[in-house]
Amino acid sequence: MKKRICLILIMLAALCIFTAAQAADTQIISCPEQQFSVLTDSANTWTFDSSNGVTIYTDHSGSIPYVLVFRSEDWIVDVADYVHEQYTPRIKKSYGNDLVSFKEYENYSIAGRQMQAAALYSYKLQGYIIDMLRLYDVQDGHTVVFTAKYIQGRGDKTIAALEQAVASYQPDPNYYALNGTASAPKAETVSGNTGNYVYDEGGVFFEITSMRPSLSPSYPANIRLGVHVINQSGHQINITLPNASINGVAVVGLGAYSIRNGTDKEDEFFLLKPETDAAIRAACNSKEATFDIVVTNASNHEVLGTRKNVTISLESVPSFTPYPTPNATPTAKPTAKPTVRPIATPKPATNSSSSSRSEKTFYGITSMAFSDRMWATWEKKPGDMLNIRFEVLAKTRQVKSFVLYLYAVDDWGDPIYSRNYTWQTNRQIARGVTAYSDYILLPDRSKIKTVYCGIKRVNFTEGPSEEVDDNDVEYYYWNIR
């Protein structure tokens, strides 16, 4: 009997140790923008945007597989009807022949909770079959949507993250912070707060809100520091990071420039950019970073303030392999392979034409596309502006107007703008005819290396319009320098 009691006590102790270890490996995701919080494994990374809510990446940030958690302000009275009558028809229209199968459910059970509706869609993407499981729950006058996307047959980790999100969902962004159920989010999560208040002088304040690797083909191993900047100095300012190092190895510290007076932004970022092999190795195994901070008047370069030898811990930034990874296992994330066509006719020196197409093969719009030549033309404009337009083709129907989504990235592959540019061109284009969009004027031309563009919506002279979800816009890109 004593042996049995002893064995039970040992098993209980082991269970407690295991549970504690589990809790230590869990991070809190707090989403004040949509007023909820969930838990996820500490190995996962996550971001937030207003279109998708919280995105939890279970492999590589920015690509499938992932889990979405979105809390809508609307209350859908009958979500099963909504799925059957609105969402599924939208999916059929968006994916067309690439949609392999779909199944709708009512009263779907997962993680001990009863969802009011669910649907599983399978579609072809880049030689894979992608499963998309969407779950709908209605509570507190809001519709909550949980979505998991993963390669078919490889979804165990993503489904586990989905179940954890469903089970832990709370309609309060401070629920876990106040109850202490799990450890705080790790600093590498983009929306996680590190509490590094590194500068507060002369009306200029900023804190480091996140730290993570920022990989790009141009520069193989950057550390990206997300920052919250407030400028009440009375001047437009630059913030630079001279004398920067990672683990004692010198790197280039890139700051933020032309920050207007009155700015209060949480989406600025700094980069610690290695340029030597030693610096790249230090960045890949980062422990701490040291740099100076210099704040200057952007108009006359007068120094408004300095801070010497600022040191921050990078322990929470995971070790990583610089881009590209030799012999890496292919994933569903596309890799761009640009091609350039010669200019057919002479153009002014300030104009350029080029063609590039990514390997991304989302289905997109069925009746309209960019032309087979993939041409875009652009010109430099005063005030550091870029004027650009794109050649499109009305494939099967006469077009009345169309909407393009655009964004631009810099030399490091980071978006220059915090949102997509949305641009509508009102032009009648006959079936089978190519035409140009209106010119679109983009700021910060000197920072732009590549412009991405996709077709979001098409209105036809007859019949219903076509539109794709933001996640499924098929982007092509043009290198402008």
Side-chain angles (χ1 to χ4, degrees):
M1 181 66 177
K2 289 181 179 180
K3 288 183 178 180
R4 183 178 299 174
I5 293 173
C6 184
L7 180 60
I8 291 172
L9 290 174
I10 291 172
M11 291 175 65
L12 286 174
L15 179 60
C16 289
I17 292 171
F18 176 73
T19 303
Q22 272 195 319
D25 288 339
T26 302
Q27 62 172 311
I28 301 166
I29 298 178
S30 175
C31 183
E33 296 89 347
Q34 293 184 354
Q35 292 293 298
F36 70 82
S37 55
V38 294
L39 303 179
T40 194
D41 190 279
S42 62
N44 299 333
T45 58
W46 61 278
T47 60
F48 171 82
D49 65 66
S50 57
S51 299
N52 298 315
V54 167
T55 304
I56 303 169
Y57 296 103
T58 57
D59 192 356
H60 298 285
S61 293
S63 64
I64 295 171
Y66 55 74
V67 171
L68 302 175
V69 183
F70 184 90
R71 186 190 191 200
S72 171
E73 290 296 325
D74 301 323
W75 179 11
I76 302 174
V77 177
D78 192 327
V79 289
D81 281 352
Y82 167 79
V83 171
H84 181 69
E85 296 178 3
Q86 296 189 48
Y87 194 77
T88 295
R90 190 190 311 169
I91 289 294
K92 289 180 179 178
K93 189 175 185 179
S94 296
Y95 290 98
N97 294 332
D98 285 341
L99 183 64
V100 176
S101 64
F102 69 91
K103 187 173 183 180
E104 300 170 350
Y105 304 87
E106 292 187 32
N107 300 318
Y108 189 95
S109 296
I110 182 172
R113 297 182 68 169
Q114 194 79 11
M115 301 290 106
Q116 296 189 5
L120 176 62
Y121 305 95
S122 300
Y123 60 92
K124 292 181 285 187
L125 173 65
Q126 300 176 12
Y128 297 96
I129 300 296
I130 303 298
D131 282 348
M132 178 173 69
L133 176 61
R134 287 177 65 90
L135 312 174
Y136 293 80
D137 193 17
V138 178
Q139 51 179 287
D140 298 329
H142 298 270
T143 301
V144 184
V145 184
F146 302 88
T147 305
K149 274 192 178 185
Y150 51 90
I151 296 175
Q152 193 172 84
R154 305 184 196 178
D156 291 352
K157 188 176 178 181
T158 309
I159 291 298
L162 175 68
E163 291 176 342
Q164 187 176 23
V166 170
S168 64
Y169 178 90
Q170 294 290 338
D172 177 1
N174 300 313
Y175 179 87
Y176 290 106
L178 295 175
N179 289 278
T181 305
S183 59
K186 289 195 171 183
E188 70 267 22
T189 57
V190 174
S191 298
N193 196 328
T194 68
N196 283 303
Y197 298 85
V198 294
Y199 193 94
D200 189 4
E201 295 177 11
V204 179
F205 164 87
F206 68 88
E207 62 177 329
I208 296 176
T209 57
S210 63
M211 300 180 290
R212 61 182 175 89
S214 178
L215 307 181
S216 78
S218 302
Y219 296 93
N222 300 317
I223 299 294
R224 176 174 173 140
L225 307 176
V227 295
H228 174 198
V229 175
I230 300 175
N231 177 21
Q232 299 292 345
S233 67
H235 308 281
Q236 183 167 299
I237 62 171
N238 298 330
I239 303 175
T240 56
L241 306 179
N243 303 318
S245 64
I246 297 175
N247 297 352
V249 181
V251 299
V252 177
L254 299 178
Y257 301 88
S258 301
I259 301 171
R260 294 179 180 178
N261 185 52
T263 294
D264 186 345
K265 294 181 66 178
E266 297 188 9
D267 58 354
E268 287 285 357
F269 64 89
F270 297 159
L271 285 177
L272 302 177
K273 185 185 72 173
E275 292 191 323
T276 66
D277 290 343
I280 290 171
R281 288 193 295 271
C284 293
N285 299 279
S286 54
K287 301 299 181 184
E288 69 174 22
T290 301
F291 46 82
D292 297 342
I293 299 171
V294 178
V295 180
T296 58
N297 187 324
S299 61
N300 60 16
H301 305 293
E302 175 191 1
V303 176
L304 302 177
T306 60
R307 181 75 59 82
K308 295 287 188 179
N309 297 317
V310 175
T311 299
I312 60 173
S313 172
L314 298 178
E315 291 282 356
S316 57
V317 176
S319 60
F320 59 96
T321 304
Y323 183 99
T325 303
N327 302 319
T329 303
T331 68
K333 186 176 180 179
T335 301
K337 289 185 178 179
T339 59
V340 178
R341 294 178 184 270
I343 299 173
T345 56
K347 295 180 180 291
T350 56
N351 286 14
S352 299
S353 291
S354 172
S355 164
S356 289
R357 175 173 181 162
S358 72
E359 292 180 352
K360 188 172 181 180
T361 55
F362 284 127
Y363 189 74
I365 300 291
T366 60
S367 299
M368 187 176 183
F370 293 101
S371 72
D372 292 339
R373 300 190 311 162
M374 297 303 302
W375 281 104
T377 63
W378 57 86
E379 57 186 351
K380 301 173 183 178
K381 289 288 188 180
D384 201 28
M385 305 294 284
L386 177 72
N387 213 22
I388 188 168
R389 63 178 182 169
F390 305 89
E391 191 178 56
V392 294
L393 167 66
K395 294 196 295 186
T396 60
R397 301 164 63 187
Q398 182 167 285
V399 170
K400 180 171 65 175
S401 64
F402 55 95
V403 174
L404 300 179
Y405 270 9
L406 289 88
Y407 68 97
V409 300
D410 59 19
D411 286 329
W412 306 282
D414 289 305
I416 295 172
Y417 317 116
S418 59
R419 60 175 177 81
N420 279 344
Y421 269 74
T422 304
W423 197 272
Q424 178 164 320
T425 295
N426 298 312
R427 179 166 298 123
Q428 186 164 298
I429 307 173
R431 179 173 61 88
V433 173
T434 60
Y436 273 105
S437 71
D438 289 341
Y439 270 107
I440 303 162
L441 200 60
L442 301 177
D444 298 322
R445 175 193 57 76
S446 58
K447 297 180 182 178
I448 297 173
K449 179 182 180 182
T450 306
V451 173
Y452 288 79
C453 184
I455 301 171
K456 166 65 176 175
R457 185 173 70 248
V458 183
N459 299 314
F460 302 97
T461 54
E462 294 182 0
S465 61
E466 291 185 8
E467 183 171 356
V468 295
D469 289 345
D470 287 355
N471 282 341
D472 295 337
V473 173
E474 184 176 8
Y475 285 99
Y476 297 83
Y477 74 90
W478 290 262
N479 288 321
I480 69 164
R481 61 176 173 84

